[in-house]
Amino acid sequence: MPFGKTPSNPSMNANNEDRPSGPLSGPSTTEWRRQRLLQIGNDSSMPAAETDETSALRPDPVLRSASYGTLPATARVNGGKQKSTFRSRHGLGALPSLLIPKGRYTNPSTPSISSPRSLRNSNYFNAQRPISAYDRPVVAPEDVPSEGAIKTNGIRVWYSSFTSIDWLHDAIKDSARQSALRKRKSKRGRLRRQVDRSIGWITVTIIGFLTAIVAFMIVRSEQWLFDIKEGHCTMGIWKAKRFCCPVKEEDILSVRPLPFLTMAVEEDCPAWQTWGEYFTPVASRSDWLEVEAIEYAVYTAFALALAIVSSLLTIHLTASTSFVTRKDSGVLSSTFASGDDAKGISHPPPGGNRKVMYYAAGSGIPEIKTILSGVYVSRVRSTSRITFCAGFVIHGYLGARTLFTKSVGLALSVASGLTLGKEGPLVHIASCVGNIVSRFFSKYETNEGKRRGILSASCAAGVAVAFGAPIGGVLFSLEEVSYFFPAKVMWRTFFCAMVAAITLRLLDPFGSGKLVLFQVTYDKDWHAYELFPFLLLGVFGGVYGAYFSKLNYKWSRHIRNGTWLKTYPVTEVILITFITALLSFLNPYTRMGGTELVYNLFAECREGSGNTHSGLCILDPPTQAMPVIGAILTALLVKGALTIVTFGIKVPAGIFIPSLGVGACAGRIVGILVQWMQYSYPSSPAFSACKGDLNCVIPGLYAMVGAAATLSGVTRTTVSLAVIMFELTDTLTYAVPVMLSVLVAKTVADAIEPKGIYDLVIELSQLPYLDAKHDYIWGALQINDVTDRDVEVIRVDRTNTVKSLRDKLQQLVDSGNSDSGFPILRPDGDGLRMVGYIGVNELEHALSIVADEPDEQIAFHPADGSAQGHMGPMASSVSSLAEMGSTLFDPYDFTCYMDQAPLTVQDNSPLELVQQFFTKLGARYVVVTDADGHYQGVIDKKTWLAFLDELEHKSS
């Protein structure tokens, strides 16, 4: 059924300020592009009512099933027929889908479709190019001599949905930008070069400063909210307990036996009033159970309220369905009715297993790893952002709304008493800050490859404020999350982490001069006999980390996502919070906040100090050790079990502190046992190094070693974790114990479960993460086994009109290949040779400009530029095409959008070479040719990821 070509649709009648001004223009609104593509080839005499937005181009406003993984689901084309795809022929399964709304946009009014009937010899492209354009000219044309045209590999207009970034294009473009800047010899040119060099340092300075401020506000808020569950300060309701009750030093270390499974040992503090005392005026004469019942009820009510608010904020403010962008494709339907074709109009087929993501939930580190491996983060007119994960889009993952929700929700969730931490989410928060700040500088706004360096620095700043470890933050960014880490990025990352640490130190969030609460110091050295207990702690850490990862994965897959809990995430939060409060209240250590517990377990008991660290300091092991060990063991079991079911609920939650807490409990128990043995057998040859000193064993040191081993077993980090522990203790004295336990823990954990928790979360969420560290066994497989030979192509020897290319574009998008494009071929003897490659986004943008002439022929010229009308060297130049006007630019010549030098590989090459192309070069696609250079097919990143996933499953 034909559609009328008329501008009477309300969405099309608007000002012209967002109309594309040329090949380098920024994205017009999706509605504008969609209507422009819809009108191609339609009869303008049709009534306006038949050109409705709820046509096949956009089912209004239903949710479209978007590909959420390595390969899209098979779409319907040609009247519902299933098109044979590479995935279906090779039996590669599709991953679940996201619910992406294609409804009302938050952009300004869309422009009118009215445009010059003939674009040739018109001034249609003379307007100033919008700022949101991607490939922005670096210098004005008059500043570069004609012989100095700067070569690139074609023009990229912008990154659209479901696309990975083009590392090669971004690297070439930045090289061209630097070359253009160096060609300017004037004083102004030299000044501009200096400013350009300083922008990176200015950016990371601002990021470090803002990250520390956000972390300070989260820490202060979390402290007060956590303490308000138990009571309030009579000196000021807004004071947290640590600021209301400072630790007092006494002349001697008091002996305070710790009752097992009873109230926590409370230091005397007249200014702090518990809720039991507040609600019971006669508390001194009341029964003990009555006061405890009041305190338990208030504690539970506050915990539930905080957790529920955090979960509601996360679900309602950061659901993937609430983020939209104008950079999505305008070709969204499963069929494209055009001309006199009697094609049925149907909605896109629903995805098999649709999945809604909540961007503020969890730690965010697995997603950040995927983003830094080749994900696009784009600017939207509203406060939201979009990020692409090597093949799919996550709207808003590093945006302002996610930053706000994650920060507020993190303070609430940690304060509720759930067994989770804030250290991991601080990495996500810092990345949000880095993404937002970098948007203000065009060199990062228009180059996604360069912005990966800024995000790497942001991750280091997040670890620096989380652990007070700037050096450890740099190593964590290098070891765990970053994909590309050259020397320049390392310097700026180190500087950013240093700025964040200094700023947080000046703000002093704990009022003690420390960057983190559990920063401790020891004044005794370790002894050779302690290496065996340290080794045992390493084994414990590896076993716990492996089985925790396995159990959490199974719980998340079969219980959380396989039962009614999947539909009611807030109910799951309520149940887990209630169970946590029920199990935690009666135990002095499970009732503590995770950070406070780790600090007390790490702490060294000093003679003459009045701080007993909640009864953990033991002066007489035979009489005091067993009650303390029993209480710590209970805390270990409770927190270990609760962490398995808590990590992954729909609140901001990290895994660092719970893992450190479990390991610290195990280490403290081992340390107390060794202390007891040394106390009982001081003259034993094993303790000869102590020379009769009954205080030579430091249980806190064992706790620190156990914590490092457990965290290594859970996350599989090694070097960065060891350095973080060195910075926490302000010394290298315990380098050997920490290194030994970390290495043993990782070795044991890898033997039981090869993947750490972050890798399992990536697998569970089915994020298309390309792990460059993984080694694959190719066996007898060849490139022909993965090459897709049935992709749509454009033949230059055939007539290519605006309408025919529009139909090809729609067929490609319908088949789920919105992250790919079209090989452009020419005949050569018995085969076809490559002329170039044009991406989906570039073709859609170009077609929306020339939509008024559906029968006009489109030209693609070879790289030699010999054809009439071709712009020669300037077609592949970042010089401003937008300012060239009507005299040079032919809008029907799409050569400038074409990648004239696509990456190719011969079909007899080893598969490892293709793997290196994708991992080392960051290629989005590789064109396969035979030995004579004739075209054979294409391997895009989605296809390659699906192939690797299938290969890994077969090998396991």
Side-chain angles (χ1 to χ4, degrees):
M1 177 179 179
F3 294 93
K5 181 178 65 176
T6 171
S8 61
N9 191 306
S11 70
M12 307 295 289
N13 295 333
N15 57 71
N16 295 333
E17 65 180 12
D18 285 334
R19 184 169 59 192
S21 59
L24 293 178
S25 64
S28 56
T29 59
T30 305
E31 303 290 345
W32 191 91
R33 296 199 308 275
R34 182 177 297 116
Q35 291 296 334
R36 293 281 293 173
L37 293 172
L38 176 65
Q39 76 170 10
I40 296 176
N42 291 332
D43 187 0
S44 59
S45 63
M46 293 299 296
E50 297 190 28
T51 311
D52 191 87
E53 282 191 89
T54 59
S55 64
L57 281 174
R58 182 174 68 86
D60 183 30
V62 297
L63 300 175
R64 169 177 175 261
S65 174
S67 173
Y68 180 48
T70 56
L71 280 180
T74 304
R76 289 189 220 160
V77 294
N78 298 330
K81 277 187 172 183
Q82 294 288 348
K83 180 180 178 180
S84 175
T85 64
F86 176 84
R87 178 187 58 80
S88 62
R89 293 193 306 273
H90 289 261
L92 301 178
L95 299 178
S97 299
L98 281 172
L99 289 174
I100 304 293
K102 302 298 175 186
R104 301 301 175 190
Y105 290 75
T106 57
N107 299 312
S109 301
T110 52
S112 170
I113 60 170
S114 59
S115 59
R117 290 299 303 164
S118 177
L119 297 180
R120 300 186 192 276
N121 302 320
S122 71
N123 292 324
Y124 184 62
F125 302 116
N126 282 346
Q128 180 64 32
R129 176 184 149 281
I131 258 177
S132 57
Y134 185 60
D135 276 355
R136 184 176 185 176
V138 182
V139 294
E142 62 270 12
D143 291 331
V144 181
S146 58
E147 66 274 8
I150 305 162
K151 292 286 186 177
T152 66
N153 60 338
I155 295 171
R156 171 171 294 285
V157 290
W158 62 79
Y159 286 118
S160 184
S161 300
F162 315 108
T163 57
S164 53
I165 71 168
D166 192 339
W167 289 90
L168 291 174
H169 177 87
D170 288 346
I172 294 171
K173 185 174 65 175
D174 187 64
S175 175
R177 185 186 66 85
Q178 296 284 356
S179 178
L181 287 174
R182 284 193 291 267
K183 288 179 182 297
R184 302 185 66 170
K185 305 300 183 181
S186 63
K187 291 183 179 180
R188 182 180 177 184
R190 290 195 295 270
L191 177 62
R192 184 168 181 176
R193 288 199 300 272
Q194 294 300 325
V195 171
D196 181 77
R197 293 191 186 103
S198 64
I199 284 177
W201 298 100
I202 294 173
T203 303
V204 295
T205 301
I206 296 173
I207 292 171
F209 177 73
L210 293 179
T211 299
I213 291 178
V214 174
F216 170 79
M217 292 189 292
I218 292 173
V219 170
R220 282 293 178 93
S221 302
E222 178 264 325
Q223 288 180 22
W224 180 80
L225 290 170
F226 187 90
D227 292 336
I228 203 68
K229 302 196 307 294
E230 299 181 352
H232 69 283
C233 182
T234 57
M235 298 171 57
I237 187 66
W238 298 108
K239 284 188 176 182
K241 187 174 181 180
R242 69 175 295 103
F243 296 103
C244 186
C245 307
V247 176
K248 296 181 180 180
E249 299 291 338
E250 298 179 3
D251 294 335
I252 58 173
L253 181 62
S254 58
V255 180
R256 308 186 67 166
L258 179 67
F260 183 68
L261 287 179
T262 182
M263 292 179 58
V265 174
E266 299 287 348
E267 303 291 344
D268 295 332
C269 181
W272 184 258
Q273 186 179 34
T274 65
W275 293 120
E277 296 171 348
Y278 180 82
F279 287 108
T280 308
V282 289
S284 58
R285 291 176 293 174
S286 298
D287 185 44
W288 178 87
L289 183 60
E290 179 181 348
V291 174
E292 286 298 305
I294 294 173
E295 292 183 351
Y296 174 73
V298 176
Y299 179 95
T300 304
F302 269 113
L304 288 171
L306 294 172
I308 290 172
V309 173
S310 177
S311 181
L312 290 175
L313 287 174
T314 300
I315 291 173
H316 291 288
L317 290 185
T318 62
S320 58
T321 54
S322 64
F323 293 90
V324 291
T325 172
R326 69 190 303 170
K327 293 186 178 181
D328 285 324
S329 173
V331 189
L332 300 173
S333 67
S334 61
T335 58
F336 203 153
S338 60
D340 295 326
D341 296 340
K343 296 180 181 179
I345 301 172
S346 62
H347 295 300
N353 296 316
R354 294 187 176 184
K355 181 181 179 66
V356 179
M357 293 184 65
Y358 302 99
Y359 304 146
S363 69
I365 292 180
E367 291 79 5
I368 297 299
K369 287 182 64 174
T370 311
I371 288 171
L372 291 181
S373 71
V375 182
Y376 176 47
V377 186
S378 174
R379 183 174 64 86
V380 184
R381 287 291 182 96
S382 64
T383 57
S384 54
R385 302 286 187 269
I386 61 176
T387 60
F388 295 82
C389 295
F392 72 98
V393 62
I394 307 178
H395 298 271
Y397 198 81
L398 297 181
R401 198 200 311 175
T402 302
L403 171 63
F404 169 79
T405 307
K406 189 102 177 185
S407 301
V408 176
L410 181 61
L412 295 172
S413 61
V414 174
S416 68
L418 290 167
T419 54
L420 46 84
K422 57 180 176 291
E423 283 67 24
L426 281 174
V427 175
H428 183 193
I429 289 172
S431 297
C432 291
V433 173
N435 177 60
I436 295 170
V437 172
S438 65
R439 292 288 177 190
F440 290 93
F441 303 96
S442 62
K443 66 184 291 186
Y444 300 117
E445 162 69 9
T446 60
N447 194 305
E448 296 305 321
K450 286 190 69 66
R451 192 162 343 122
R452 292 303 170 280
I454 297 298
L455 294 180
S456 295
S458 303
C459 292
V463 175
V465 298
F467 292 100
I471 301 176
V474 176
L475 293 176
F476 180 85
S477 179
L478 170 63
E479 178 183 4
E480 189 64 25
V481 298
S482 295
Y483 181 82
F484 183 63
F485 209 79
K488 182 185 294 185
V489 172
M490 183 177 65
W491 302 335
R492 290 176 178 171
T493 299
F494 182 71
F495 184 75
C496 184
M498 181 194 70
V499 171
I502 292 175
T503 304
L504 191 65
R505 178 64 178 268
L506 296 176
L507 294 174
D508 195 11
F510 299 101
S512 61
K514 297 179 179 179
L515 294 179
V516 291
L517 181 61
F518 50 90
Q519 186 173 353
V520 295
T521 56
Y522 304 117
D523 57 7
K524 294 185 176 66
D525 203 346
W526 61 277
H527 305 286
Y529 70 86
E530 294 178 304
L531 287 177
F532 181 70
F534 295 153
L535 182 66
L536 294 180
L537 289 174
V539 174
F540 169 82
V543 172
Y544 171 81
Y547 281 102
F548 165 80
S549 300
K550 282 178 175 288
L551 293 175
N552 179 260
Y553 177 83
K554 292 182 178 180
W555 174 272
S556 298
R557 182 174 182 178
H558 301 296
I559 306 298
R560 178 172 294 124
N561 295 329
T563 64
W564 59 271
L565 291 176
K566 179 180 180 180
T567 312
Y568 303 98
V570 178
T571 303
E572 181 188 15
V573 172
I574 293 174
L575 291 175
I576 292 180
T577 304
F578 180 77
I579 294 174
T580 301
L582 181 66
L583 295 177
S584 300
F585 186 79
L586 295 179
N587 189 279
Y589 302 129
T590 54
R591 187 176 176 181
M592 286 183 187
T595 304
E596 183 183 2
L597 175 63
V598 171
Y599 164 69
N600 285 317
L601 292 170
F602 278 12
E604 178 183 2
C605 299
R606 302 180 184 276
E607 296 184 16
S609 172
N611 189 352
T612 65
H613 297 288
S614 299
L616 287 172
C617 293
I618 297 176
L619 297 180
D620 186 18
T623 59
Q624 295 177 273
M626 287 310 299
V628 174
I629 290 176
I632 297 175
L633 181 61
T634 302
L636 186 154
L637 297 176
V638 169
K639 286 192 172 292
L642 288 176
T643 305
I644 293 174
V645 298
T646 302
F647 186 67
I649 62 175
K650 300 305 182 286
V651 296
I655 196 63
F656 282 177
I657 287 298
S659 300
L660 289 174
V662 170
C665 286
R668 191 83 186 194
I669 291 174
V670 173
I672 292 174
L673 291 176
V674 174
Q675 182 186 24
W676 192 355
M677 292 176 60
Q678 193 265 339
Y679 183 89
S680 302
Y681 307 100
S683 58
S684 172
F687 303 109
S688 59
C690 294
K691 299 178 181 179
D693 182 9
L694 298 181
N695 295 317
C696 76
V697 177
I698 308 174
L701 172 60
Y702 289 80
M704 184 199 62
V705 173
T710 305
L711 186 57
S712 177
V714 171
T715 63
R716 311 301 163 86
T717 53
T718 53
V719 178
S720 60
L721 177 58
V723 174
I724 288 173
M725 289 300 170
F726 302 157
E727 293 184 87
L728 283 176
T729 57
D730 290 332
T731 181
L732 292 176
T733 303
Y734 310 105
V736 172
V738 171
M739 292 170 63
L740 174 65
S741 64
V742 165
L743 290 174
V744 171
K746 178 172 170 54
T747 302
V748 173
D750 285 342
I752 301 174
E753 169 55 57
K755 293 185 177 181
I757 187 63
Y758 294 140
D759 294 325
L760 288 176
V761 170
I762 289 175
E763 180 180 332
L764 184 67
S765 302
Q766 295 190 322
L767 303 176
Y769 175 66
L770 183 58
D771 189 0
K773 302 175 184 176
H774 191 80
D775 294 325
Y776 294 93
I777 305 299
W778 309 110
L781 294 173
Q782 300 177 357
I783 286 183
N784 290 330
D785 297 320
V786 69
T787 303
D788 190 353
R789 302 176 183 273
D790 296 328
V791 296
E792 294 286 345
V793 300
I794 297 174
R795 296 275 298 270
V796 297
D797 59 321
R798 297 175 181 174
T799 301
N800 298 297
T801 64
V802 173
K803 182 176 178 296
S804 66
L805 290 180
R806 190 279 313 269
D807 293 340
K808 283 181 176 290
L809 174 65
Q810 182 61 33
Q811 290 175 9
L812 187 71
V813 175
D814 282 339
S815 66
N817 295 313
S818 58
D819 190 19
S820 58
F822 296 92
I824 303 172
L825 309 175
R826 62 177 175 84
D828 181 64
D830 296 332
L832 297 171
R833 290 193 181 274
M834 287 291 298
V835 174
Y837 190 95
I838 186 168
V840 168
N841 301 329
E842 287 70 38
L843 183 57
E844 179 183 330
H845 172 67
L847 289 175
S848 67
I849 294 175
V850 298
D852 294 303
E853 299 286 350
D855 297 324
E856 192 74 22
Q857 187 170 350
I858 301 301
F860 296 94
H861 296 290
D864 57 12
S866 58
Q868 180 69 22
H870 182 43
M871 293 178 296
M874 295 300 290
S876 59
S877 169
V878 298
S879 300
S880 180
L881 292 178
E883 286 86 352
M884 289 193 301
S886 60
T887 58
L888 292 177
F889 180 67
D890 180 3
Y892 298 100
D893 187 349
F894 287 3
T895 305
C896 63
Y897 300 103
M898 184 176 67
D899 182 357
Q900 301 182 31
L903 196 61
T904 61
V905 63
Q906 287 191 17
D907 56 5
N908 59 357
S909 302
L911 283 173
E912 182 62 28
L913 180 61
V914 181
Q915 170 73 352
Q916 296 302 318
F917 279 173
F918 284 113
T919 57
K920 297 295 194 299
L921 298 182
R924 297 178 67 223
Y925 56 85
V926 177
V927 177
V928 180
T929 63
D930 61 17
D932 296 325
H934 292 142
Y935 168 83
Q936 296 295 311
V938 176
I939 304 174
D940 60 30
K941 201 166 189 177
K942 279 187 175 183
T943 303
W944 184 250
L945 285 166
F947 173 74
L948 294 182
D949 183 69
E950 186 72 12
L951 180 64
E952 187 173 359
H953 278 80
K954 286 182 178 179
S955 63
S956 61

